[in-house]
Amino acid sequence: MTIIEKPADWPSDEAAALAVQDGLRGRVILDEPGPPPGSGLVTGVDVAYDDDRDLVAAAAVVLDARTLAVVEEATAVGRVSFPYVPGLLAFREIPTVLAALDRLRNGPGLVVCDGYGRAHPRRFGLAAHLGVLTGLPVIGVAKNPFTFSYEQPAAGRGASAPLVADDEEVGRALRTQEGVKPVFVSVGHRVSLDNACAHTLHLAPRYRIPETTRHADSLCRRALKEATA
C-alpha cells in the first residue's frame, strides 16, 4: 500500500496555513451557476482518520447524477498533513483527497464535500479550497453547524433558512427530509447557493445525508480499516 506523504511545500504551522488561505480566497468563483441538478456526474469525497497511526483515508465516489447509481470509486491513504486547528481542517485532508480524485478515470463533475465552503470564519473552508486547487465546481454539505447563526427551517422537505455570519448569508440550513434535522449547505467554487441547495435535495431522495456523502463515508472507513489491519 502506498502512503501519500505530506507535500514538501505544505504549511507546517497555523500562521503559514492562514497565509495560504488569504492568498487563495480571492480565487474563489461565485458568479457561476454550476451544472444543473441531475445532469452528468457528481462525486462525493470524505475522509476517515486514525490519529494513533497518523493516517487519513480519503474516498471519492462518482455517481450518475440522474440515477444516483455508483459509476466509480477511488481511495487513497496518506499521512495526516497538519495538526488539528479549527478552521484549518482542509490542510489535514486535501493532499489525500486530491490523490483519491486523481485516481478516478471518470468525471468527477460536481464535487460534494462533507464540510463547508463559504460557511467558514474566513469564507474558505474545505469545499472552497478544493475547488480553487482543482478548478472543479464544488459544494459543501455539512452534518453539523459551525460558526454562524440560523433559524430552524420549516419542517417540510426543501425548507431552508439562511446561515448568517457578520450579517452575510454564507449558506443555508436545508431540510432534506420532512421532520429531520437540517444539513448545512454552502458554496465552494463555481456553483450558486440556490443550485447547491437544489443539488443537495436531488442527492438526498431518501435520507438526510446526500447519497454522495453516504457512499464516500462508507468507503473511506473501509479503506482506513484495510490500511490499519
Side-chain angles (χ1 to χ4, degrees):
M1 178 185 62
T2 301
I3 301 295
I4 308 299
E5 299 294 340
K6 181 175 73 171
D9 59 349
W10 203 246
S12 58
D13 58 34
E14 184 172 353
L18 290 171
V20 170
Q21 282 189 337
D22 289 341
L24 294 179
R25 184 172 52 240
R27 292 166 56 184
V28 173
I29 295 173
L30 299 173
D31 59 356
E32 292 185 11
S39 66
L41 299 174
V42 57
T43 297
V45 297
D46 202 0
V47 300
Y49 290 98
D50 185 326
D51 286 317
D52 290 338
R53 293 176 172 86
D54 194 37
L55 293 177
V56 56
V61 181
V62 184
L63 307 185
D64 179 301
R66 183 179 64 84
T67 66
L68 304 186
V70 174
V71 173
E72 186 183 1
E73 299 177 340
T75 62
V77 178
R79 300 293 176 194
V80 175
S81 53
F82 197 80
Y84 175 80
V85 179
L88 297 175
L89 298 186
F91 291 92
R92 292 168 61 83
E93 305 174 2
I94 277 182
T96 311
V97 170
L98 290 174
L101 287 171
D102 285 344
R103 292 174 180 174
L104 294 173
R105 299 183 305 275
N106 297 286
L110 174 78
V111 176
V112 182
C113 294
D114 179 16
Y116 299 95
R118 294 283 291 169
H120 179 273
R122 288 173 293 281
R123 308 298 182 263
F124 198 71
L126 172 64
H129 201 149
L130 188 62
V132 167
L133 292 183
T134 63
L136 295 167
V138 185
I139 66 173
V141 183
K143 302 180 187 74
N144 300 301
F146 192 24
T147 57
F148 35 68
S149 60
Y150 69 98
E151 301 291 335
Q152 282 291 334
R157 170 175 159 86
S160 67
L163 305 179
V164 178
D166 302 323
D167 297 322
E168 176 189 0
E169 184 182 27
V170 295
R172 288 180 193 152
L174 176 67
R175 196 87 67 184
T176 54
Q177 301 297 325
E178 184 171 359
V180 173
K181 64 181 181 178
V183 296
F184 301 90
V185 181
S186 58
V187 169
H189 187 62
R190 299 182 57 203
V191 185
S192 70
L193 183 55
D194 285 344
N195 207 15
C197 290
H199 277 287
T200 303
L201 284 174
H202 177 75
L203 293 168
R206 295 180 296 166
Y207 302 105
R208 174 180 177 244
I209 303 302
E211 290 298 293
T212 40
T213 301
R214 281 168 35 82
H215 284 292
D217 174 78
S218 176
L219 181 59
C220 69
R221 292 175 189 276
R222 294 201 307 270
L224 184 63
K225 184 176 180 180
E226 293 171 2
T228 57

